[in-house]
Amino acid sequence: MRHVTIRLLGPPQIEVDDGVRPLPGWKPWGLLAYLVLADRPPSRPELAELLWPSADDPAAALRWALHQVRRALGDAVRIADRSGRLVVDRSGASIDVLELLAGGLDPGQVEDLARGELLEGTHFADSPSFDLWLGMERARVGSALRSTLRWAATLSLAEDPDRALRLVERLLASDPFDDAAHELAIEIQVARGDRRAARAHLDRVARLYRVELGTDPPERLHRPLDRIEPDGENPLVDRRTSARATLALARARLTTGDYDAAITSARRASLDAAVVGDGLLEAESLLVLAEALIHGRRGSDREAVGLLDRALRLAMTAGALELAADIERESGYVSFLAADYGAAEVALHRSLALAERSGDAGRMGRALTILAACRSDEAALDEAEVLLGRATDSLGASGDRRWLAYALAYLARIHIARGRSAEAAATAERAIDGARESGWHALVPFPLTFQGEAALMAGDPSGARAIFGEALTMAQAMDDPCWEALSLRGLAMTETAEGRPDEGRRLLGRALESCRRYTDTYRWAEIVILTELVEAERGTDPEHRDTARRLAGDAGLTGLVERIDVASARQTRGQTPHP
């Protein structure tokens, strides 16, 4: 059987044994991309409506396009009708976009793969629903590609700095305001021994930021050029011993939530480790520093990305697979919070692969939990539920009760989305109990919101109000804007369910304010709340409407974009949407 290479990044192409197979027309390419990337196998009527909504005979148009695809692929890739849906057997093919999203490439392969955007040069203006889907997929795949370029440049820095520079320059061509990429580019120039080029790059960035953004670039871009000179050396203790002791203190402070103290200790530990050239110890310190910045200090996620890049390079050089798995998971978590799902998923797939190589069930479960959270945000419920099943099995086997509670909270959300109120209530209760018993009290408001939704779904608004109120009280006491916003959203749902839509709308406005009180909060929560506010306002507020559509579109949340468009269309026609 011949091997087929399907290139969907850049100008699309099918290669069979070094020869190029033609696939005429954009619609067959759109069909192939959808069959490969859709969350679940589509039916023929779905495909016909998606790609040929205005055709005289959409079913015939689909048959013609499917014939073209099958002829181009030959017998290496089979497309079969199963239970009324078209299923693709990809075992005989290499598909670049799937290899990218799986996170299994090496840096050399990344350089060969990065050819452009998904289905570059194709146009589907006569198929608006497909055009919307393609735009969302281009955003997700583009996010994954940019993240992978930075990862490949990071790992290439020591062995092939010239390749690292090519990769980071390609990244900056698509996003000239990526702080972490600029920091990496300067570090690469320093590693190449060209400090003049490093300073010139920093000067160019400063001019660019001042002209385009009206601000100076972050101070951390100077880090690769700064000499490491930690203050306050203790003459009675060598730096390696000091670094280890200070790192232990940073971890303890991080566990208790004393984030500022953890940042100070971890930063000192990383500097001491760098002075003595202990790469593994420095990587461990940088991870703790990044975690404290991400989970404690608002507005510091972008700074943490550069720290995680360096930590990963040091960990991989030392062969510390378990540490590398933790670093990749934290990188994925940062992107997940920002609703940058393509970047999140490739990092989490790498984290999962590293955890599997080391045989660590707990690390596997943690990576699977955040990966499932991404897919749940994206409304890929079937995949998310499977991933959560694997996550809870791994976390249960490892005895990690804290993360098991986190995974169960997302499983409760899946049950809510599927209308399973009893299962949602029981799963949320397990998550709440697990969080409390393991001492992770900061998590408790999250599953409480799903317990409240389950009560509301079961016809108990009074019980739901009490549960949402408990979640809100805890969230406000902890100054957690994400859980506060979701609790307010729950109370808004309760008000609306009891016939007070104006009060529900007011509470959604408060929830939105909570989301925006700090930067680096859970972007999905903001987008969902804003979407529901647009619906409650019947699409009458153009600022809310336009912002909601932009944020949902940037995140690739197709279902929310469609809801926003429906609310906008009803406002335009002067119609009242269903509550």
Side-chain angles (χ1 to χ4, degrees):
M1 181 183 294
R2 294 183 173 185
H3 183 79
V4 173
T5 298
I6 302 174
R7 301 188 184 276
L8 298 176
L9 296 174
Q13 193 173 75
I14 296 173
E15 300 172 5
V16 180
D17 295 342
D18 299 327
V20 176
R21 288 277 183 89
L23 184 56
W26 295 140
K27 291 296 178 76
W29 280 113
L31 173 62
L32 176 57
Y34 195 83
L35 289 171
V36 166
L37 289 168
D39 290 333
R40 61 188 182 92
S43 68
R44 285 177 179 264
E46 288 170 353
L47 288 168
E49 176 61 25
L50 187 69
L51 279 157
W52 294 275
S54 303
D56 292 335
D57 190 344
L62 171 61
R63 287 194 298 272
W64 174 84
L66 191 57
H67 171 71
Q68 298 297 324
V69 170
R70 282 172 165 153
R71 185 169 65 176
L73 296 176
D75 60 0
V77 180
R78 298 188 180 279
I79 304 172
D81 277 285
R82 293 179 188 167
S83 303
R85 296 190 173 274
L86 291 173
V87 179
V88 182
D89 177 1
R90 303 188 293 259
S91 57
S94 298
I95 305 175
D96 58 356
V97 67
L98 296 184
E99 292 173 353
L100 169 70
L101 294 171
L105 302 170
D106 62 44
Q109 290 172 314
V110 172
E111 190 171 17
D112 294 337
L113 193 73
R115 302 167 62 241
E117 71 173 2
L118 180 66
L119 292 186
E120 189 168 288
T122 62
H123 306 282
F124 299 88
D126 63 338
S127 307
S129 294
F130 181 82
D131 203 40
L132 173 63
W133 173 85
L134 180 59
M136 301 296 181
E137 284 299 298
R138 280 174 170 163
R140 182 168 76 102
V141 172
S143 160
L145 182 56
R146 289 189 296 274
S147 172
T148 303
L149 283 168
R150 197 183 71 245
W151 168 84
T154 296
L155 294 192
S156 297
L157 189 152
E159 294 183 359
D160 192 344
D162 290 338
R163 177 208 281 156
L165 189 59
R166 290 193 302 272
L167 289 165
V168 80
E169 285 175 345
R170 193 176 300 183
L171 168 59
L172 287 169
S174 64
D175 185 0
F177 301 104
D178 185 329
D179 300 340
H182 283 300
E183 184 179 348
L184 179 57
I186 295 167
E187 188 172 1
I188 292 168
Q189 295 288 18
V190 171
R192 296 170 78 232
D194 195 343
R195 295 179 70 85
R196 174 181 288 183
R199 290 193 179 280
H201 186 102
L202 185 57
D203 290 342
R204 288 195 301 274
V205 174
R207 288 193 297 272
L208 175 68
Y209 276 48
R210 288 168 190 150
V211 170
E212 298 295 334
L213 303 180
T215 185
D216 289 324
E219 280 295 319
R220 61 182 177 273
L221 266 61
H222 290 265
R223 276 191 304 214
L225 285 162
D226 292 341
R227 292 170 56 191
I228 301 171
E229 294 180 352
D231 298 327
E233 179 180 6
N234 187 341
L236 301 178
V237 182
D238 69 86
R239 287 198 186 279
R240 182 174 279 104
T241 301
S242 174
R244 287 173 178 158
T246 312
L247 174 58
L249 183 60
R251 283 178 171 145
R253 288 169 167 171
L254 179 62
T255 300
T256 60
D258 189 356
Y259 295 111
D260 286 340
I263 289 168
T264 300
S265 298
R267 202 182 298 278
R268 175 57 191 257
S270 68
L271 292 174
D272 279 337
V275 167
V276 299
D278 190 328
L280 180 57
L281 186 56
E282 184 184 356
E284 292 175 323
S285 303
L286 289 171
L287 173 59
V288 174
L289 175 56
E291 288 177 321
L293 289 168
I294 293 162
H295 298 280
R297 184 173 290 177
R298 305 295 180 183
S300 299
D301 284 10
R302 290 172 71 87
E303 178 183 358
V305 170
L307 298 172
L308 291 169
D309 285 346
R310 177 169 176 78
L312 179 63
R313 182 168 62 254
L314 294 168
M316 293 298 287
T317 300
L321 299 186
E322 293 180 348
L323 178 60
D326 290 342
I327 294 165
E328 291 278 28
R329 186 193 68 244
E330 202 67 17
S331 295
Y333 178 73
V334 170
S335 297
F336 157 70
L337 284 181
D340 194 0
Y341 297 111
E345 288 164 22
V346 292
L348 292 164
H349 279 300
R350 290 195 298 263
S351 177
L352 179 58
L354 289 164
E356 288 172 340
R357 284 172 61 187
S358 64
D360 190 303
R363 285 182 167 86
M364 290 166 55
R366 291 190 283 276
L368 285 164
T369 297
I370 305 300
L371 188 57
C374 290
R375 301 306 284 151
S376 175
D377 280 7
E378 296 172 287
L381 301 183
D382 291 343
E383 184 180 352
E385 192 162 7
V386 170
L387 289 168
L388 285 169
R390 292 174 59 194
T392 53
D393 287 346
S394 294
L395 293 166
S398 71
D400 190 337
R401 298 173 69 191
R402 288 166 64 95
W403 273 81
L404 179 58
Y406 192 32
L408 287 170
Y410 274 102
L411 185 57
R413 191 173 88 172
I414 296 289
H415 290 317
I416 290 291
R418 294 194 183 281
R420 306 167 182 160
S421 61
E423 293 93 331
T427 305
E429 186 69 28
R430 288 177 60 199
I432 294 162
D433 290 345
R436 285 176 170 150
E437 291 166 6
S438 65
W440 196 1
H441 298 288
L443 178 67
V444 171
F446 187 45
L448 273 173
T449 61
F450 303 127
Q451 188 180 52
E453 284 196 61
L456 197 58
M457 188 181 297
D460 182 12
S462 177
R465 183 184 300 280
I467 295 168
F468 290 131
E470 180 182 357
L472 178 61
T473 301
M474 293 184 66
Q476 289 177 331
M478 294 183 292
D479 193 26
D480 190 308
C482 304
W483 302 161
E484 180 182 321
L486 289 173
S487 303
L488 286 166
R489 170 182 177 258
L491 288 170
M493 294 166 62
T494 306
E495 292 290 343
T496 301
E498 292 187 317
R500 292 181 290 277
D502 290 344
E503 180 62 13
R505 188 163 52 250
R506 186 187 70 82
L507 287 173
L508 282 173
R510 281 189 57 191
L512 185 61
E513 291 173 3
S514 296
C515 286
R516 294 173 171 175
R517 189 163 67 244
Y518 301 115
T519 58
D520 301 338
T521 53
Y522 188 10
R523 180 56 60 86
W524 175 87
E526 178 184 353
I527 299 170
V528 166
I529 290 166
L530 192 50
T531 299
E532 292 174 353
L533 185 57
V534 169
E535 291 175 326
E537 294 168 339
R538 303 174 182 176
T540 56
D541 187 317
E543 181 180 351
H544 287 162
R545 192 173 64 236
D546 295 345
T547 303
R549 200 183 194 287
R550 175 177 56 80
L551 292 178
D554 289 347
L557 300 177
T558 311
L560 296 183
V561 170
E562 291 173 346
R563 285 172 57 183
I564 294 161
D565 286 348
V566 167
S568 301
R570 285 173 172 156
Q571 188 274 332
T572 301
R573 296 194 304 265
Q575 295 179 359
T576 301
H578 294 295

